[in-house]
Amino acid sequence: MGISLADQTMDFLFSCGVGFVLGAFYELFRFYRIIMRPGKVLVFFQDLFYWTVCGVATFLFIFWANAGEIRGFLIVGELLGAVIYYCTLGWLMLQNARLIARILHRISMFLKKYVWTPLTKPFRLLWRAIRKRTGKISQTTKKVGISAKNRLKKHRALLYNLFNGIRLSGSKKAGKGE
């Protein structure tokens, strides 16, 4: 029981469509990279996620189209669909992504300057006042601690003689006071 040429052609065209969609899906990551400029580690995990999704999508497509039987023309069709996307719509999207990135950057700078900064200024002033007060309290407590430590050092002979003179109950050693 073979597969007809018409069915194979339809499967090939569907595989081109799956490749085209996977290419468009990768465009989201490219757009994010243009706008946010993530580090190498984040790019690695994005690529890992993308290729995992591609593998699952390819597996499900092959399972649907050909009952799980891997055919070379299906893989070639996916690759061809991705290449067609990158050479046509992908190039156009990349140019627009740069334009959109510039527009979004300008909008965010406008919002930061005229919305975010005026809203946060009272909180920053309040925070500075709180830090100033807590700083004074912290300095005062340090001074008190140092002063108490110095007082103990001056009277250490008295303090230690006091403790040596007290007999602890159940102790075999007797202090000087016995």
Side-chain angles (χ1 to χ4, degrees):
M1 215 167 127
I3 299 175
S4 70
L5 187 60
D7 288 340
Q8 289 181 7
T9 304
M10 287 303 294
D11 288 345
F12 179 76
L13 292 176
F14 278 131
S15 68
C16 287
V18 169
F20 193 86
V21 168
L22 290 175
F25 179 58
Y26 189 73
E27 195 68 37
L28 296 174
F29 294 107
R30 282 199 330 182
F31 186 70
Y32 175 76
R33 291 174 187 169
I34 288 171
I35 291 177
M36 300 304 286
R37 300 179 192 256
K40 291 179 182 180
V41 174
L42 189 58
V43 169
F44 169 76
F45 283 112
Q46 286 175 352
D47 285 344
L48 185 67
F49 174 73
Y50 172 75
W51 287 109
T52 303
V53 168
C54 285
V56 169
T58 300
F59 170 76
L60 292 175
F61 171 71
I62 288 176
F63 192 74
W64 171 79
N66 213 19
E69 193 174 320
I70 298 175
R71 301 281 177 127
F73 69 89
L74 295 177
I75 305 297
V76 170
E78 279 191 27
L79 291 173
L80 183 64
V83 167
I84 289 171
Y85 174 80
Y86 285 119
C87 292
T88 58
L89 200 56
W91 180 82
L92 183 64
M93 293 299 288
L94 184 63
Q95 299 306 316
N96 288 332
R98 291 182 180 140
L99 175 67
I100 291 170
R102 285 194 299 269
I103 290 171
L104 287 176
H105 179 72
R106 288 181 182 161
I107 289 172
S108 69
M109 295 313 292
F110 174 81
L111 290 175
K112 181 181 176 186
K113 184 176 181 180
Y114 293 110
V115 176
W116 183 252
T117 303
L119 285 176
T120 58
K121 192 168 187 170
F123 293 109
R124 279 189 272 139
L125 293 173
L126 179 65
W127 181 248
R128 284 184 191 150
I130 290 171
R131 281 183 38 203
K132 187 176 179 182
R133 300 276 171 136
T134 56
K136 287 181 180 179
I137 292 171
S138 175
Q139 288 175 354
T140 305
T141 13
K142 284 180 186 176
K143 287 179 184 178
V144 167
I146 290 171
S147 172
K149 187 176 180 181
N150 286 337
R151 274 191 241 123
L152 285 175
K153 283 182 180 179
K154 288 179 187 175
H155 303 294
R156 72 174 175 251
L158 178 66
L159 180 69
Y160 293 127
N161 286 337
L162 176 68
F163 284 124
N164 282 338
I166 298 175
R167 181 168 189 243
L168 300 172
S169 62
S171 173
K172 292 185 180 180
K173 265 190 174 176
K176 291 183 180 180
E178 285 189 344

